[in-house]
Amino acid sequence: MAAPAAPAAGETGPDARLEAALADVPELARLLEIDPYLKPFAADFQRRYKKFSQVLHDIGENEGGIDKFSRGYESFGIHRCSDGGIYCKEWAPGAEGVFLTGEFSGWNPFSHPYKKLEYGKWELYIPPKQNKSPLIPHGSKLKVVITSKSGEILYRISPWAKYVVRENNNVNYDWIHWAPEDPYKFKHSRPKKPRSLRIYESHVGISSHEGKIASYKHFTSNVLPRIKDLGYNCIQLMAIMEHAYYASFGYQITSFFAASSRYGTPEELKELVDTAHSMGIVVLLDVVHSHASKNSEDGLNMFDGTDSCYFHSGPRGTHDLWDSRLFIYSSWEVLRFLLSNIRWWLEEYCFDGFRFDGVTSMLYHHHGMGQGFSGDYNEYFGLQVDEDALIYLMLANHLAHTLYPDSITIAEDVSGMPALCSPTSQGGGGFDYRLAMAIPDKWIQLLKEFKDEDWNMGNIVYTLTNRRYLEKCVAYAESHDQALVGDKTLAFWLMDAEMYTNMSVLAPFTPVIDRGIQLHKMIRLITHGLGGEGYLNFMGNEFGHPEWLDFPRKGNNESYHYARRQFNLTDDDLLRYKFLNNFDRDMNRLEERCGWLSAPQAYVSEKHEANKTITFERAGLLFIFNFHPSKSYTDYRVGTATPGKYPFLCQCMCLLRCNI
């Protein structure tokens, strides 16, 4: 269909503005067809798309395209040249002088000065030794020395550092030049994008039942086989980008290009990803581009001696709730840094995509603080939207999907911004999925505030089905958020202290354990079947992990007792945890067989308040749930769209249609 003609000069009415927007945004008509209520905001989509297109055009004009622009890690930082020399480059617009020091120079701070270039860039070439070997060997410690305009001498880690470590009881991290002679070579190709996305949210450090920081190698050998057996086809790895404070759960990043050294080396992380690929499992990185740690000596903050550089200057550059720094997404070099970071993890470590953390904070100038989102469309447009951040997210999604069409991107957005998961060609954000963040809150609210007999079936169904048409959601009953100390997992809400005393198969079922196990299964299956187009579980929650998650900190005497996952409980045949674990596995395997996550949204035929039943159909399956605390039903009659015999598949219950 031909694009509509541009409005004549002087035409400024609503119809003219709509026509202009349709002319500028290639597939906006499709978005407005899906949701006509967005028509009054067509000019907003037009402005966003034109700005996105303009930035892409400017990158092409000035940098030779986004492909070259996103390779910043190939020149910035330090690199071994073919002649054995070392090339160094930094962006420090507020610096008076830049130097490289380290073990190679006996820590002489001024022996190797950088040359000042245009646009705040600095470069240094260090010739090789006489035998053509590099002056800076693999594993050598380094620092960038900044002399500020106020005369301070500052020791910094390069923002592009690829490996940093904290030794012994040191407060700060050390920058290690990582250039092994025999880098890891990937053996297995990337799996194809799963038809149905079943995500196992994972944290390497807590993956052992022992009270310690587990390693990449431990995860590869011990946890990957469990994930495969459970039927998950995707892993979301948390806390990989280096963070100085372990208890931040990986959300206070200090070195964006460095894989966390507390779990092992970069080569060991590559082996983990490669091994997952060999099992047909895709691996997503939990990427944090919404903010950065305030650390200066081993972080980005004050890198060049100013409070700006990578961040907004003044109050706008600080997140009041997180006590962290906020990127200035309109900055050319910040765009280079963040887009190169996206490409780095995709290409160097072969990740298959990203879960973007803190997207709500990025999208709005108010960062979502003190804001309730009612669903009124006016909340998603206007001056409260940080369009620079939104354009960055569009660019990041465009880059990821251009480089690797099968890559997967997920937005952690609580606001529900329309079109965030629509293609950029429609003026959307370009994400593949968003997290259905209202669902776990609903389950916690029901368990915390209501008796079983007072659960509202219609309200449960509304929460599980309340998502935008054709914008995919990842549903989950609980994630890492509900596992943290100060909150309770579903298993803890359901069974609490009896998990410590009555989970033995040698003891009779108590009413609390019986109810807890059955509701745990039902909550997971109805969330899996009705809540979205993807499903997520946090490691250990599948078997009702009996303890909360709490990282070592002063408040718990630096204990690792709760910073672990007790997988050993599922291996003990005398404990009932194995029944929850097996149910989770059977649920995922049934989805793999029937594909309800990739099927159209379910048709809900019954939500009976008196009987406490919910019935729906999806992907040729008839799901019937009885949430009544005391009544069972025989010969229960429900309507179906298609006649036939429906063999029973699992308790809760789920029936597969077999036409005869």
Side-chain angles (χ1 to χ4, degrees):
M1 185 176 74
E11 291 187 35
T12 58
D15 291 342
R17 289 196 294 270
L18 176 59
E19 290 300 310
L22 290 169
D24 285 335
V25 186
E27 297 180 20
L28 181 60
R30 173 59 177 154
L31 178 66
L32 301 184
E33 177 188 353
I34 295 168
D35 187 353
Y37 289 102
L38 289 173
K39 282 185 179 180
F41 307 100
D44 292 85
F45 288 106
Q46 177 191 30
R47 184 179 60 256
R48 294 172 182 181
Y49 183 81
K50 288 181 73 174
K51 188 172 182 180
F52 162 73
S53 299
Q54 185 62 51
V55 175
L56 269 182
H57 175 268
D58 291 345
I59 289 173
E61 286 285 305
N62 296 287
E63 302 281 352
I66 197 169
D67 180 72
K68 290 180 66 176
F69 188 61
S70 60
R71 295 176 182 270
Y73 54 81
E74 293 182 353
S75 59
F76 286 86
I78 76 166
H79 302 273
R80 183 183 299 175
C81 304
S82 58
D83 65 356
I86 298 287
Y87 179 76
C88 313
K89 191 176 182 181
E90 298 294 346
W91 178 61
E96 186 67 29
V98 179
F99 307 83
L100 186 70
T101 189
E103 292 176 325
F104 77 98
S105 65
W107 294 104
N108 184 328
F110 305 120
S111 60
H112 289 78
Y114 285 65
K115 175 186 174 183
K116 190 172 185 179
L117 306 175
E118 290 184 304
Y119 310 115
K121 298 173 188 175
W122 303 75
E123 71 173 1
L124 165 66
Y125 174 74
I126 303 175
K129 298 178 183 177
Q130 286 188 341
N131 63 3
K132 300 300 183 183
S133 65
L135 188 62
I136 304 175
H138 166 66
S140 181
K141 292 181 182 179
L142 297 168
K143 286 282 189 183
V144 174
V145 180
I146 302 287
T147 55
S148 72
K149 296 189 185 301
S150 63
E152 290 181 283
I153 300 173
L154 308 170
Y155 287 82
R156 297 288 188 252
I157 289 176
S158 170
W160 305 82
K162 298 175 177 63
Y163 190 57
V164 297
V165 300
R166 177 186 284 158
E167 294 183 342
N168 303 320
N169 295 320
N170 292 353
V171 173
N172 296 317
Y173 275 76
D174 290 316
W175 172 22
I176 306 296
H177 177 45
W178 192 260
E181 292 292 338
D182 187 24
Y184 185 86
K185 293 179 176 60
F186 284 84
K187 306 174 184 65
H188 305 281
S189 58
R190 300 169 186 264
K192 292 187 178 298
K193 180 189 291 188
R195 178 189 64 166
S196 299
L197 196 63
R198 302 182 298 274
I199 304 171
Y200 198 77
E201 186 182 35
S202 304
H203 186 292
V204 170
I206 65 170
S207 63
S208 169
H209 69 273
E210 300 178 66
K212 65 178 185 180
I213 298 178
S215 66
Y216 295 124
K217 281 191 169 293
H218 170 87
F219 192 94
T220 301
S221 300
N222 297 281
V223 184
L224 283 182
R226 290 183 182 274
I227 296 171
K228 177 67 175 177
D229 179 65
L230 283 167
Y232 291 93
N233 55 22
C234 177
I235 300 168
Q236 179 184 305
L237 279 183
M238 309 175 65
I240 294 299
M241 301 166 73
E242 191 60 89
H243 49 292
Y245 185 42
Y246 191 40
S248 75
F249 223 140
Y251 293 123
Q252 291 280 345
I253 305 300
T254 46
S255 291
F256 283 77
F257 286 82
S260 181
S261 60
R262 54 172 55 87
Y263 318 127
T265 68
E267 313 312 301
E268 290 165 349
L269 173 58
K270 292 174 185 178
E271 182 184 30
L272 187 163
V273 175
D274 198 23
T275 305
H277 286 171
S278 75
M279 298 176 173
I281 299 172
V282 300
V283 188
L284 306 183
L285 177 70
D286 207 346
V287 70
V288 187
H289 284 178
S290 49
H291 63 129
S293 168
K294 266 190 171 179
N295 287 20
S296 56
E297 290 197 27
D298 53 8
L300 284 185
N301 190 26
M302 304 286 291
F303 173 68
D304 65 354
T306 71
D307 78 331
S308 52
C309 198
Y310 288 92
F311 309 110
H312 287 288
S313 182
R316 189 180 175 190
T318 301
H319 195 293
D320 293 333
L321 186 62
W322 296 341
D323 193 32
S324 53
R325 297 304 313 273
L326 296 172
F327 288 105
I328 178 167
Y329 299 103
S330 59
S331 164
W332 192 260
E333 292 303 326
V334 171
L335 280 180
R336 186 198 307 276
F337 180 79
L338 294 176
L339 291 173
S340 296
N341 195 234
I342 291 292
R343 185 170 194 148
W344 168 257
W345 293 105
L346 287 171
E347 302 217 331
E348 182 70 14
Y349 288 91
C350 289
F351 279 96
D352 302 291
F354 306 96
R355 179 264 202 186
F356 281 76
D357 177 70
V359 168
T360 305
S361 175
M362 298 175 71
L363 291 175
Y364 307 97
H365 292 297
H366 54 62
H367 307 300
M369 294 187 290
Q371 298 289 322
F373 292 94
S374 66
D376 185 329
Y377 278 14
N378 291 290
E379 296 169 345
Y380 307 115
F381 303 95
L383 296 178
Q384 66 266 34
V385 176
D386 186 340
E387 292 197 345
D388 290 332
L390 178 56
I391 299 310
Y392 163 67
L393 291 170
M394 294 171 71
L395 289 167
N397 280 302
H398 171 77
L399 175 66
H401 292 114
T402 299
L403 290 173
Y404 298 98
D406 276 352
S407 62
I408 299 165
T409 59
I410 303 171
E412 189 214 22
D413 170 44
V414 72
S415 76
M417 176 178 275
L420 188 63
C421 298
S422 298
T424 55
S425 57
Q426 295 179 6
F431 284 97
D432 296 297
Y433 299 85
R434 62 158 33 100
L435 292 180
M437 300 180 72
I439 294 176
D441 291 342
K442 174 55 63 179
W443 291 124
I444 295 299
Q445 181 198 24
L446 289 173
L447 293 171
K448 185 178 181 180
E449 300 178 7
F450 295 91
K451 297 178 181 178
D452 294 3
E453 56 266 31
D454 295 331
W455 285 18
N456 185 289
M457 299 296 102
N459 188 245
I460 291 172
V461 169
Y462 173 79
T463 303
L464 289 170
T465 58
N466 182 27
R467 55 190 185 272
R468 293 184 55 77
Y469 180 57
L470 295 184
E471 291 194 45
K472 295 180 181 178
C473 284
V474 174
Y476 57 106
E478 53 186 344
S479 69
H480 69 274
D481 287 323
Q482 287 72 41
L484 289 170
V485 66
D487 206 337
K488 286 185 179 182
T489 61
L490 291 178
F492 240 129
W493 279 113
L494 289 162
M495 296 177 278
D496 209 76
E498 287 203 24
M499 298 185 74
Y500 295 108
T501 57
N502 297 320
M503 287 295 276
S504 171
V505 297
L506 302 178
F509 261 126
T510 66
V512 169
I513 296 298
D514 191 15
R515 167 186 177 269
I517 287 179
Q518 304 316 321
L519 273 179
H520 198 275
K521 294 177 180 178
M522 293 174 70
I523 288 170
R524 288 175 177 278
L525 181 59
I526 196 171
T527 301
H528 207 307
L530 190 57
E533 291 70 39
Y535 178 76
L536 178 144
N537 166 68
F538 178 63
M539 62 189 306
N541 286 359
E542 70 276 4
F543 64 84
H545 195 279
E547 292 177 339
W548 55 84
L549 177 60
D550 190 16
F551 288 92
R553 54 187 175 85
K554 289 182 179 179
N556 63 16
N557 295 317
E558 304 295 338
S559 172
Y560 285 89
H561 179 74
Y562 295 110
R564 60 189 180 127
R565 297 278 93 179
Q566 299 180 64
F567 290 110
N568 55 305
L569 297 176
T570 66
D571 299 330
D572 191 333
D573 284 336
L574 297 179
L575 295 177
R576 292 190 167 105
Y577 295 101
K578 64 180 181 181
F579 301 129
L580 292 174
N581 189 80
N582 294 344
F583 180 85
D584 200 75
R585 179 188 61 212
D586 293 343
M587 178 174 65
N588 283 322
R589 290 183 177 180
L590 181 61
E591 198 288 324
E592 174 67 22
R593 173 183 167 189
C594 301
W596 62 69
L597 289 172
S598 58
Q601 193 163 333
Y603 171 70
V604 180
S605 58
E606 179 179 270
K607 37 193 176 183
H608 200 295
E609 297 302 335
N611 291 343
K612 298 299 178 192
T613 57
I614 295 172
T615 303
F616 62 88
E617 296 176 68
R618 192 176 187 187
L621 293 173
L622 173 64
F623 292 81
I624 307 174
F625 290 84
N626 174 18
F627 283 98
H628 202 288
S630 58
K631 284 186 181 179
S632 296
Y633 304 100
T634 56
D635 301 322
Y636 196 80
R637 296 172 65 86
V638 298
T640 63
T642 306
K645 287 188 175 180
Y646 289 74
F648 175 81
L649 290 182
C650 66
Q651 99 190 70
C652 280
M653 75 186 143
C654 176
L655 306 175
L656 176 65
R657 183 176 70 239
C658 297
N659 291 328
I660 57 172

